[in-house]
Amino acid sequence: MESFTAGLISLEEAQQKMLSQLTPVTDSLSVPLAEAVGRITATVVTSPIAVPPFDNAAMDGYAVRLADVSSGQPLPVAGKAFAGAPFSGEWPQGSVIRIMTGAPVPAGCEAVVMQEQTETQGEAIVITAPVRQGQNIRLTGDDIQPGHVVLQAGTRLGAAELPLLASLGIAQVRVLRKLRVAIFSTGDELQPVGEPLADGQIYDTNRFAVSLMLHKLGCEVIDLGIIKDDPVALRAAFEEADRQADVVISTGGVSVGEADFTKSMLEELGAISFWKLAIKPGKPFAFGRLNSSWFCGLPGNPVSAAVTFYQLVQPLLATLTGQQKSALPSRQKVRCASRLKKSPGRLDFQRGILRQNAQGELEVETTGMQGSHVFSSFAQANCFIVLERDRGNVEAGEWVEVEPFNALLEA
Ligand SMILES: Nc1nc2c(c(=O)[nH]1)N[C@H]1C(S)=C(S)[C@@H](COP(=O)(O)OP(=O)(O)OC[C@H]3O[C@@H](n4cnc5c(N)ncnc54)[C@H](O)[C@@H]3O)O[C@H]1N2
Ligand code: MOO
Ligand SMILES: [Mg+2]
């Protein structure tokens, strides 16, 4: 292990230290379903009704009584039941009711026979297959009973959850207030996108990336812009961000250079929880507490900023909103089709393309240059290749762990 990586804390230790300090927000509001996409439930949601709300037919066919069927005689059709227009008349013994899928079954119905298992004889039908008690009847409440918990608190509402609530007639849902996240990037060299570049300047990638990911995660973003590498300006930005936000995220200036003031500012205005992790990229990530907000100092290199956002800020925000499903991504082992360069000492998040090879097996290939300033190879990737801290170079054909990107990084 390289000596200058010896004192770095592991990603797991950092995540544990960070997440164990957090208390989820509880302020909530009630919003209409159509405005709830991406929001997080503040309470459990229970069903006000049974689903299905009445016994109904699962097939187009005939509602029957078993005693009538056993006679084997042709059975006259005594009426019709449609979804939305139940049969309401008298149902004479020795007859059947024509019924459509979703229609309430008439009182006394013991089975629904699908029409393909019948033959018509004038005004009557003959059943051509055995009939079982209860067949093709969807019973009241067999999906959901009234009062049943359909969503836990801390559930992100998306295209599966919101239609479920709609199916229960729930028009409003109680959700957590949005987290307020203040962001700024630091660096004398940074220009906002859309401005011409002067000598020595580069475009501000990180604020754009961080803001975009925060919006995707349903946060309210307070964008404080680009802050110069100047302690006075930086202090003002820290204080303003702390006043306004639950979480403050800066990028850049978190290493040890002569224009890197982020860590000393955090020490001066708050308290550092940890700094410097055994991960690559993202080593100088800093986490701590300001007056009334949590602070994450992301490294300036754009891939480092994106990786630390993904691996640390994402679970932080999930925990602050009490989310049940862990935001920590899952990993799997696949064969690596490329040779990978790696020095022991840090857990490496290389960028890869996970795909099926000609034999139908999953394999991963590198996206090429892996420097923490090389955003182009990040943009081609669909997964991280996660290489253990002590591991050295990887030869083609070796097994590696991959972590497919979740929805945060996918289009
Ligand atoms: N002597 C050492 N030097 C460095 C170390 C170290 O351990 N010892 N760590 C290196 C690592 S690892 C990283 S990562 C970087 C982190 O640097 P900072 O967080 O201090 O960031 P800056 O110095 O401000 O910038 C680094 C790099 O990234 C560019 N940058 C910054 N902000 C943006 C932005 N918003 N958009 C696009 N690019 C940005 C900046 O121009 C620099 O090129 O430190 C290493 N050094
Ligand atoms: O940790 Mo730095 O992000 O290796 O480039
Ligand atoms: Mg620096």
Side-chain angles (χ1 to χ4, degrees):
M1 198 181 280
E2 302 164 42
S3 60
F4 54 84
T5 60
L8 306 180
I9 70 165
S10 72
L11 178 66
E12 292 70 29
E13 204 181 327
Q15 284 166 336
Q16 214 278 330
K17 202 163 184 175
M18 172 190 261
L19 302 182
S20 63
Q21 297 182 54
L22 307 175
T23 314
V25 299
T26 51
D27 302 344
S28 66
L29 65 159
S30 180
V31 295
L33 280 200
E35 289 165 30
V37 65
R39 307 291 302 245
I40 316 293
T41 52
T43 59
V44 296
V45 181
T46 57
S47 178
I49 59 169
V51 179
F54 46 83
D55 296 353
N56 69 97
M59 292 285 176
D60 300 312
Y62 297 91
V64 302
R65 299 188 184 99
L66 294 182
D68 298 335
V69 172
S70 60
S71 73
Q73 296 301 307
L75 298 165
V77 180
K80 289 188 181 180
F82 291 88
F87 173 76
S88 56
E90 274 292 303
W91 181 7
Q93 294 297 326
S95 68
V96 297
I97 304 294
R98 175 85 172 116
I99 193 164
M100 289 3 114
T101 304
V105 300
C109 168
E110 291 170 295
V112 170
V113 179
M114 63 193 291
Q115 71 193 49
E116 291 86 338
Q117 294 179 344
T118 65
E119 279 167 9
T120 40
Q121 281 188 6
E123 299 295 293
I125 61 146
V126 174
I127 294 170
T128 58
V131 180
R132 192 175 35 79
Q133 163 87 39
Q135 80 181 26
N136 298 325
I137 298 178
R138 304 189 289 209
L139 293 174
T140 308
D142 71 359
D143 178 5
I144 299 168
Q145 294 286 339
H148 178 89
V149 173
V150 290
L151 295 178
Q152 296 295 335
T155 301
R156 177 181 288 280
L157 295 168
E161 294 78 9
L162 288 165
L164 171 66
L165 301 188
S167 77
L168 303 174
I170 296 173
Q172 298 265 132
V173 59
R174 185 152 280 282
V175 296
L176 293 177
R177 72 162 171 81
K178 288 186 175 188
L179 288 179
R180 288 184 290 272
V181 184
I183 62 171
F184 54 91
S185 44
T186 70
D188 289 347
E189 75 281 29
L190 301 179
Q191 266 297 68
V193 182
E195 301 288 321
L197 288 181
D199 218 17
Q201 289 188 323
I202 60 165
Y203 286 117
D204 178 3
T205 317
N206 295 343
R207 197 161 44 95
F208 182 75
V210 169
S211 164
L212 184 153
M213 291 191 280
L214 288 170
H215 279 118
K216 250 185 148 170
L217 292 171
C219 299
E220 181 186 328
V221 178
I222 302 155
D223 187 344
L224 299 181
I226 297 168
I227 310 298
K228 295 280 181 203
D229 293 318
D230 159 40
V232 176
L234 210 55
R235 183 177 295 108
F238 263 80
E239 287 172 346
E240 178 63 20
D242 183 38
R243 262 196 299 279
Q244 291 201 45
D246 303 299
V247 179
V248 176
I249 300 175
S250 71
T251 77
V254 80
S255 186
V256 294
E258 291 185 18
D260 292 339
F261 302 114
T262 307
K263 186 188 152 247
S264 52
M265 206 54 72
L266 175 58
E267 271 166 336
E268 189 185 319
L269 301 176
I272 289 199
S273 173
F274 57 83
W275 178 55
K276 284 196 172 177
L277 276 63
I279 59 173
K280 183 181 178 177
K283 177 174 68 169
F285 179 89
F287 176 70
R289 182 82 191 156
L290 296 172
N291 250 337
S292 56
S293 62
W294 297 105
F295 176 81
C296 296
L298 313 189
N301 281 311
V303 180
S304 316
V307 167
T308 50
F309 187 99
Y310 191 89
Q311 297 293 339
L312 290 146
V313 180
Q314 187 176 202
L316 167 101
L317 299 172
T319 304
L320 279 179
T321 47
Q323 285 181 63
Q324 298 291 314
K325 280 188 203 159
S326 167
L328 294 179
S330 59
R331 297 182 189 163
Q332 64 190 108
K333 279 204 159 80
V334 300
R335 262 191 219 283
C336 188
S338 326
R339 181 172 199 278
L340 307 177
K341 275 172 49 181
K342 157 99 169 64
S343 319
R346 292 193 266 165
L347 180 74
D348 212 344
F349 289 96
Q350 300 207 5
R351 279 71 71 200
I353 301 168
L354 182 64
R355 51 142 196 253
Q356 245 175 6
N357 65 19
Q359 289 74 48
E361 292 154 355
L362 273 184
E363 65 176 27
V364 69
E365 143 185 87
T366 181
T367 54
M369 283 173 67
Q370 296 293 319
S372 53
H373 59 298
V374 185
F375 215 84
S376 59
S377 78
F378 195 2
Q380 294 165 36
N382 63 7
C383 70
F384 289 118
I385 307 172
V386 188
L387 302 175
E388 302 83 338
R389 188 168 176 175
D390 295 338
R391 195 159 178 177
N393 292 334
V394 173
E395 299 304 328
E398 283 184 32
W399 289 91
V400 291
E401 273 197 309
V402 293
E403 208 177 271
F405 289 165
N406 69 16
L408 184 62
L409 288 176
E410 295 296 339

